[in-house]
Amino acid sequence: GQQLNQSPQSMFIQEGEDVSMNCTSSSIFNTWLWYKQEPGEGPVLLIALYKAGELTSNGRLTAQFGITRKDSFLNISASIPSDVGIYFCAGQSNAGNMLTFGGGTRLMVKP
Amino acid sequence: GAVVSQHPSWVICKSGTSVKIECRSLDFQATTMFWYRQFPKQSLMLMATSNEGSKATYEQGVEKDKFLINHASLTLSTLTVTSAHPEDSSFYICSARQTGVRTGELFFGEGSRLTVL
């Protein structure tokens, strides 16, 4: 089946630093989504990407849909303590199909 | 974004009892809803796809008689964990896709934490 490899698994950074995480797939996806999950909560959608090469920003967050359709990255600039959480990438092969999730990146920010 | 709500947010029950979790799309209609299970420090694992007015589709390894899913309306899906045992303790999360909208975006509920004693 489809698999998503997300890295790094965890990051411990200083407030103000930039963060980068990525996901790679063994197969092509038509949609890439990035979610953030805080403890005891469901994932919240951050950014959705629909076209290969697409670069989309949401405040301090920027995500790109890889040109090969097999990868995506998420950058967070000037991190702040409230960025703490687990970030998941998710890929979808066709509209209507379920999502395949990456393993998550646990982000910890030191004030 | 669209709002999906789950209830209860947490539940503790005795082994052998059944527990029902509700998932509601509050401001949109959802023909399809998805149920996930998440263990501590792990990613979300799809359990089943809930289709309004028809039988749910279960992922391999998920017992349909143990995890009963009912999607009776366009805004409500329920997951019933029957004869719960401690190994069923987990974080259950539902998600929904807005009907008629061409988007891959899924919106998630807040999750329901089940603890079986």
Side-chain angles (χ1 to χ4, degrees), chain B residues 6-82:
Chain B
Q6 276 183 247
H7 178 81
S9 55
W10 59 270
V11 58
I12 301 173
C13 70
K14 292 182 178 180
S15 184
T17 61
S18 294
V19 175
K20 179 186 284 188
I21 301 170
E22 294 184 347
C23 178
R24 295 181 184 274
S25 55
L26 298 186
D27 52 358
F28 67 100
Q29 293 184 330
T31 304
T32 303
M33 292 185 176
F34 303 88
W35 286 96
Y36 293 83
R37 183 173 182 176
Q38 186 178 34
F39 291 106
K41 297 186 179 182
Q42 293 190 20
S43 189
L44 289 78
M45 297 295 295
L46 181 65
M47 299 175 64
T49 302
S50 171
N51 302 298
E52 187 267 337
S54 62
K55 292 182 179 180
T57 303
Y58 290 82
E59 294 301 299
Q60 189 174 8
V62 178
E63 299 177 55
K64 62 179 181 180
D65 294 329
K66 181 165 185 63
F67 298 100
L68 300 179
I69 292 174
N70 183 278
H71 194 156
S73 78
L74 287 173
T75 59
L76 174 64
S77 175
T78 61
L79 169 68
T80 301
V81 183
T82 62

Side-chain angles (χ1 to χ4, degrees), chain A residues 42, chain B residues 4-9 21-24 35 91-95 108-113:
Chain B
V4 176
S5 179
Q6 276 183 247
H7 178 81
S9 55
I21 301 170
E22 294 184 347
C23 178
R24 295 181 184 274
W35 286 96
F91 194 52
Y92 293 88
I93 311 174
C94 72
S95 67
F108 286 84
E110 312 95 321
S112 299
R113 183 164 300 283

Side-chain angles (χ1 to χ4, degrees), chain A residues 31 33 35 37 40-45 48 50 86 88 92 94-99 101-104 106, chain B residues 32 34 36 38 40-44 46 49 59 91 93 97 102-111 113:
Chain A
T31 302
L33 305 169
Y35 289 88
Q37 185 180 27
E41 300 287 334
V44 174
L45 181 65
Y50 298 104
I86 303 177
F88 289 101
Q92 185 183 52
N94 290 298
N97 285 2
M98 71 280 195
L99 295 181
F101 280 87
R106 183 179 297 272
Chain B
T32 303
F34 303 88
Y36 293 83
Q38 186 178 34
K41 297 186 179 182
Q42 293 190 20
S43 189
L44 289 78
L46 181 65
T49 302
E59 294 301 299
F91 194 52
I93 311 174
R97 176 177 293 119
R102 293 189 62 185
T103 173
E105 299 172 14
L106 280 185
F107 297 96
F108 286 84
E110 312 95 321
R113 183 164 300 283

